[in-house]
Amino acid sequence: MESGVVILIGLFFTVAVYLMLSKQLVRILLGIAILGNAVNMLIFTNGRLTREVPPLIPDHLYAPETATANPLPQALVLTAIVISFSFFAFLLVLAFRAYQELGTDEVNEMRIAEPEHDQTPPQGY
Amino acid sequence: MTPALIDDTTLYAVLAPFAAAVVAPFLTRWFKHNAAWLLAIVPALIFLHFTGFVEPVSKGESFVAAKAWAPSYGVNFSVYVDGLSTLFALLISGIGTFIILYAGGYLKGHPQQGRFFSFLFMFMGSMLGLVLGNNLISLFIFWELTSITSFLLIGFDHLRAASRRAALQALVVTGGGGLALLAGFILIISATGEIEMSVLLSSPDIIKDTALYVPIFFLVLGGAFTKSAQFPFHFWLPNAMEAPTPVSAYLHSATMVKAGVYLLMRMHPLLGGTELWTTVLPLFGGVTLLVGTILAVRQTDLKLMLAYTTVASLGLLVMLTGTSQEKALEGAVLYLLAHSLFKGALFMVAGTIDHEAGTRDITKLGGLRSAMPITFVAACLAALSMAGLPPFIGFIAKEVLYYGTWGWLELGLPITVTAVVGNALMLVIAAAVAIKPFLGPKVETPKHAHEGPVLLFAGPVFLSVTGLGLALIAHTTGELLIGPTLSSLVGQTTEIELHLWPTSINAPLLLSLVTIGLGIVLFTQIDRLRGLIGSILTAIGWGPDKGFDQFVAGIVGLSWRITRLLQSGKMQTYMILTFIFTGVAVLVPGFLTGSLPAMPKMPDYRFYEWGILLIAFFGLIAVLVANTRLTAIVSLGIQGFAVALIFMMFGAPDLSFTQFMVETLSVVILALVMTRLNLSPSDHRHGLAAIGTGIVAIGVGLGLTLTLLAITQQPFDSRLSDFFAQFSRSIAHGRNIVNVIIVDFRGFDTLGEIAVVVLAGLCVLALIRVRTKPEKPIEKPETVSQPTSAQTGEVR
Amino acid sequence: MRTIIFRTIAPYLSALMVLFSIFVLLRGHNEPGGGFIGGLIAASALAIFGIACGVASVRRAIVFHPMGVSGFGLFLSALAGLPSIFKAQAFMTSQWLDVHLFGVEIALSTPLFFDIGVYLVVVGAIGSIALALEEREVD
């Protein structure tokens, strides 16, 4: 049941990593967005897949009647989706502001924090 | 004889200074420098509390009190009161009382006086905790606290680089020694299984019998020698004279630097008496004594002279402790008491001269006798004690210690000679400190000198008079203070008899006379001596102090080089390394342990399910090859919606809805931002670079696929999920299990997660709102440095 | 994007979406739904309204600053963990109270308030991000 989805997840990871290894900020961002989906699906699939039976308890019962989808990874992934989205938005804005301030979208040219020719270390007390 | 258990008052006495540290700034704000009078009540009460122990302790009793701190590790906040700790506690609180008063006068009107009091009290509390500490771990904690609080005190005047350097030096040296001490303590605990000092002391051979004695010995010595400024760690102590004088008077007379000596004395029954002990300690102590006195003669700064003699005195104490001879130990205890009193007084005198005359360089001082009569008397009394003349406690100490060293068969002669030379030079310094500034013709000083206020002279007068008084009642002093302390040192109850005047003409008396004669001769030649030592030191040209600078520069340089190596500043390098390691970490174990998954069977998906997977696949490929912004956004949306469909397909409607909404919003904000970002039509990678990064990416993807396949082929442990399904309705009254987990079962988790969402929102807002300079890139600093643009700049 | 049709429909659409989001939020405990989904729907409503009629009118319509709403949501969620103190139970242990109002039984519970807090956090934070980005579009 899982194998098809697992291979798809592997593809998601491959594409995400490949994009993140780019020098261009925009491609890195796209990679991160895909990575988020890949990780969410990874967690989801780890809890095994059950077709089409949502983890809901029927109104007249106190426990699910038949085997349902695993509710635990769903709960974990649900919050993860929202968080990864908030951080994707944050990264997006960060990239856009960096592009505005530094005038480049090549990561190797963004060297304000780690200048190319660093000064000698601070001496004295 | 087991120690008796007492109530917690003594524990509170240790904690009281910390409480005083909290209120001190407020009192200082209300009462200005007069707060010192109120604050001095705290150490005075502690002093009174410990005087109550003098009587029973002198009868050979000892006491413990304890509060559990981290009982599962055997760590307690416990105190052990015996002769040694009583003497130290009395010195710390008694001298502390006058230091507080003195600080009130010395830093009068200083805007940071409250902070100063606060540090001073914290130091006092740490010191009390240290000398009373029974539990090895709590003793260590207080030991390190004294390092930290002395760092704060020495660096009090933190605007000066010299002060900062001295503070850092003291912290590095004593803190480093503290780590050695911790290691030593841990070895003691693991070797003996005991953590309480009182228990260890009840069976003195417990450590000496273990195989770990030698490492324990050297580690404990590392702590004691750094703290007590033994050669070659002596350099931090004179540098610490950068601190305000009350600090020097307190830390370098009775407390901080004596902590090392205290530790050696405390450990003497456990570690002392061995050949190792009687070789190493006298050697280092003797060298320190000579180096200290010789360097002291060279100085012209009052405080530095005193500082180097403190180094010398510590050397003498270590040397005496190292002899393990009962009489010499008695001399050490007497000298410890005498030194605390006269050195505290002399430091305060030096500070008063500095405060009132504006300089403490003895070549620029003279004839202050008439201007500062009270200070002069105090200085004389203290200096006589330091010189070891009768009828002062210093004299008795010298007599006893000569008696002890002279009578030691193995190394008695070299030790005695060292002691005589050291004491003679000490006499030279004592004379120089007491005579030079006060006697002789009046010299014009930067400030018009006059007697200081009572806050300033109370301390020196009281301490120096005590030095005289304790000598006059020598018999009682010996019985109540020295005897019990000596008992702690030798590990059994010992009675002694002290006399002010020698009972007969014996070797020690002659040695004393030799010392005094030698001292007087040297004093007449002090200027030539000073020049000689100066030229020798210039010839050597290197000292541990300079070595410290080189050490620090070396450390900074090394860390800088390592940082440059690891942090190349190239994001791509970081990323590639990270992913290579990720790939290796997920791939290699599978191959090594042979836990690779079996070949998966063809899954029995329905037609439309294959369709959904295919949509996701094509979405992915489209993102990979996208060359315009629109295709990138749209294809990213496609793979996202496909993921939502996959969630739907496997019974997760909640996830599916959330994913749909998130993808929609993603597309919206991507569309808003991307219009202002630049997407170059093709990836920059060609040929080798593309293949290289591609291999890394495929490695990571393959590794995760195999791992996940292996996981899913294992039987599933569904206990946790079953629990939630079972109790979702019966306990949490909800039929949607996923929602119940989120808001109820794992609500605390969710609380943290929504806090993250809030933070992300705040960060985005801050990023968008904060503008450094509108439409001005950072790379153009020259426009700012030009004066014309700086003047016109404010119009912008 | 600012066609007349879109601008005319957007307010009604947004209002409907917000209403629907509240419905989704409240049914969450028993049927698919909940604070996260509801919050995202409401945030989308704000985003749509902002695109159609401008950010200023959205800010007027919601009165409070979205981050303020978000912060209040976090506060409410944290607060929902506290009532268990009075029963000497661990933090966040759920408490239930059945209230009869006009003959209808309403189950009030701390998880419900917690979920409302989640809803507000998501609306506020995501809405704030979307609005801030739309605002930049204008200038």
Side-chain angles (χ1 to χ4, degrees), chain B residues 427-428 431-432 516-529:
Chain B
L427 186 144
V428 174
I516 293 166
L518 186 63
I520 292 171
V521 172
L522 289 175
F523 181 63
T524 55
Q525 303 295 320
I526 185 163
D527 288 327
R528 286 176 63 186
L529 214 55

Side-chain angles (χ1 to χ4, degrees), chain A residues 1-30 33-35 37 40-42 44-64 68-83 85-90 92-97 99-103 105-108 110-112 114-125, chain B residues 164-165 168 548-549 552-553 556 560 564 567-572 574-576 579 600-601 603-606 608-609 613 616-617 620 623-624 626 636 639-640 643 646-647 649-655 658-659 662-663 665-666 669-670 673-674 676-685 690 693-694 697-698 700-701 704-705 708-709 711-712 714-716 720-721 724-726 728-730 735-738 741-742 753 756-757 760 763-764 767-768 770-772 777 779:
Chain A
M1 193 71 195
E2 287 88 7
S3 51
V5 180
V6 168
I7 288 163
L8 185 68
I9 293 170
L11 269 177
F12 264 71
F13 272 111
T14 309
V15 172
V17 171
Y18 185 75
L19 285 173
M20 284 169 77
L21 287 177
S22 170
K23 262 195 292 198
Q24 294 158 355
L25 208 49
V26 178
R27 287 206 155 78
I28 294 179
L29 283 173
L30 294 175
I34 294 175
L35 187 73
N37 281 338
N40 287 341
M41 284 205 291
L42 177 91
F44 184 68
T45 314
N46 255 332
R48 306 301 187 272
L49 301 177
T50 310
R51 191 177 280 147
E52 283 168 358
V53 190
L56 298 174
I57 301 169
D59 207 4
H60 57 280
L61 289 174
Y62 271 86
T68 66
N70 191 350
L72 185 60
Q74 292 194 24
L76 297 179
V77 170
L78 197 135
T79 50
I81 291 175
V82 178
I83 289 182
F85 170 66
S86 333
F87 270 88
F88 179 61
F90 171 68
L92 208 57
V93 174
L94 188 67
F96 147 62
R97 293 284 293 132
Y99 179 62
Q100 269 191 336
E101 294 286 323
L102 306 177
D105 66 344
E106 282 251 336
V107 286
N108 285 350
M110 296 181 166
R111 305 207 55 152
I112 296 290
E114 291 164 306
E116 194 100 45
H117 303 291
D118 218 343
Q119 314 86 343
T120 43
Q123 293 286 359
Y125 296 91
Chain B
R164 291 197 296 273
R165 174 173 184 266
L168 207 64
F548 178 80
D549 279 341
V552 170
V556 173
W560 180 73
R564 290 291 296 163
Q567 311 246 332
S568 58
K570 285 198 190 305
M571 168 120 160
Q572 254 193 318
Y574 302 156
M575 297 280 263
I576 285 188
F579 283 121
K601 285 194 290 287
D604 55 339
Y605 295 150
R606 290 164 201 159
Y608 67 89
E609 290 171 341
L613 296 188
F617 175 71
L620 272 183
V623 178
L624 199 59
L636 195 69
Q639 61 83 31
V643 170
I646 291 173
F647 286 146
M649 178 168 124
F650 292 108
D654 283 311
L655 287 193
T658 313
Q659 180 74 20
V662 159
E663 283 311 322
L665 281 165
S666 289
I669 64 165
L670 263 174
V673 172
M674 281 284 240
R676 276 159 290 169
L677 272 175
N678 177 32
L679 181 72
S680 48
S682 72
D683 204 320
H684 62 93
R685 285 171 285 188
T693 49
I698 290 171
V700 173
L704 285 165
T705 310
L708 194 55
L709 271 180
I711 291 172
T712 49
Q714 301 291 318
F716 182 59
L720 208 53
S721 308
F724 289 126
Q726 199 65 43
S728 169
R729 184 145 196 211
S730 50
R735 292 190 289 112
N736 180 356
I737 306 172
V738 175
I741 294 175
I742 291 176
E753 281 156 354
V756 173
V757 173
C763 291
V764 167
L767 268 177
I768 289 182
V770 174
R771 316 241 119 199
T772 44
E779 297 99 315

